[in-house]
Amino acid sequence: MPDLRSRRSVSQAVLVKLLSAELTDWSRRAPGRVVVDLGGGTGGMAMDLASAGYRVKVVDPSPDALAALERRTAEQGLIGRVSGIQGDASDLVDLVGAAAADVVVCHRVLEVLDDPVQALAAIQEVVSPGGALSLLAGQRHAAVLTQALGGHLAQARRTWVDPDRLDRDRILELVLGAGFAVRATHGIGAVADHVSETLLDAEPGAYADLLALETEIATDPAFQALAPQLHVFAVKGDGVVGSSSPT
Ligand SMILES: C[S@@+](CC[C@H](N)C(=O)[O-])C[C@H]1O[C@@H](n2cnc3c(N)ncnc32)[C@H](O)[C@@H]1O
């Protein structure tokens, strides 16, 4: 479970809660238990998903991250449910196989890749028909705000004009362009990432209030546009679950 006292953990807790709800709803209609976590790093999300009964394959180019993943898997008694595969997004199909995953998780990775269009095409190929994508990507507006408020004004201006920075519209365009139907979108960290840890430590009940507030505003389009991260839950094609407009 996430550390309940840090700010990032509020965002992580909201993400886990929202993703769990989407997966529960989706798996009623398209049951499947194999998750590929692309760029899954040390396995923060893999541990939660494996504990919930999924078999998780973490694909990541970093040997250090995969070594930490292996240690963590053993510590949490999840051997056999989590495995690490060293490799790059550009080799995803060769590494895990076409239509081999019921769910692909791609959290905080798209923005570090040279070619997000190619990566999403590869993800689409490894997701089985009716399978799902959980995408979390960093957004331009929040980065500009954070950099400017931190006094890094020149950097904030560079971020603002950087054509490779993602925002809600571009992220949805990429997901839809890859052939996924968007079922839900959530802003992650819109408030939680700005609340001081001192407040959380000092005020009894502050963590619970912040968690509730973040969960409530996650589906609001204005907060989504401002959130540091956008979460998109989407399904491949429109056959099994049916598409819905992004909310
Ligand atoms: C910011 S971390 C995110 C880790 C994890 N997904 C999370 O949400 O905590 C970015 C991860 O992407 C991985 N990564 C970097 N370049 C990659 C690539 N070309 N293909 C796949 N993963 C990559 C890094 O090794 C790192 O583990």
Coordinates of all heavy atoms in Angstrom, one line a residue, residues 1 64 91 135 185 229 231 238:
M1 N 0.8 -1.2 0.0 CA 0.0 0.0 0.0 C 0.9 1.2 0.0 O 1.9 1.2 0.6 CB -0.9 0.0 1.3 CG -2.0 -1.0 1.2 SD -3.1 -0.8 -0.2 CE -3.9 0.8 0.3
D64 N 18.6 -1.7 -13.2 CA 18.5 -1.4 -11.8 C 17.1 -1.5 -11.4 O 16.8 -2.0 -10.3 CB 19.1 0.0 -11.5 CG 20.6 0.1 -11.7 OD1 21.2 -1.0 -11.7 OD2 21.1 1.2 -11.8
D91 N 10.5 -2.3 -28.9 CA 10.6 -3.8 -29.1 C 9.4 -4.5 -28.4 O 9.5 -5.8 -28.3 CB 11.9 -4.4 -28.6 CG 13.1 -3.8 -29.3 OD1 13.0 -3.5 -30.5 OD2 14.1 -3.5 -28.6
L135 N -3.4 4.4 -19.3 CA -2.3 5.4 -19.7 C -2.3 6.5 -18.7 O -3.4 7.1 -18.4 CB -2.6 5.9 -21.1 CG -1.6 6.9 -21.6 CD1 -0.3 6.3 -22.0 CD2 -2.2 7.6 -22.9
T185 N -11.6 9.4 -18.4 CA -10.4 10.1 -18.2 C -10.4 10.7 -16.7 O -11.5 11.0 -16.2 CB -10.2 11.3 -19.2 OG1 -11.4 12.1 -19.1 CG2 -10.1 10.8 -20.6
Q229 N -1.0 15.0 -14.1 CA -1.0 13.8 -14.9 C -2.5 13.6 -15.3 O -3.4 13.8 -14.6 CB -0.6 12.6 -14.0 CG 0.7 12.7 -13.3 CD 1.9 12.3 -14.1 OE1 1.7 11.5 -15.1 NE2 3.0 12.9 -13.8
H231 N -5.0 10.5 -16.5 CA -5.1 9.1 -16.6 C -6.2 8.8 -17.7 O -7.3 9.4 -17.6 CB -5.5 8.5 -15.3 CG -5.8 7.0 -15.4 ND1 -7.0 6.4 -15.0 CD2 -5.0 6.0 -15.8 CE1 -6.9 5.1 -15.2 NE2 -5.7 4.8 -15.7
D238 N -14.1 -1.4 -30.6 CA -15.4 -1.1 -29.9 C -16.3 -2.3 -29.8 O -17.5 -2.2 -29.6 CB -16.1 0.0 -30.7 CG -16.3 -0.3 -32.2 OD1 -16.0 -1.5 -32.5 OD2 -16.7 0.6 -32.9

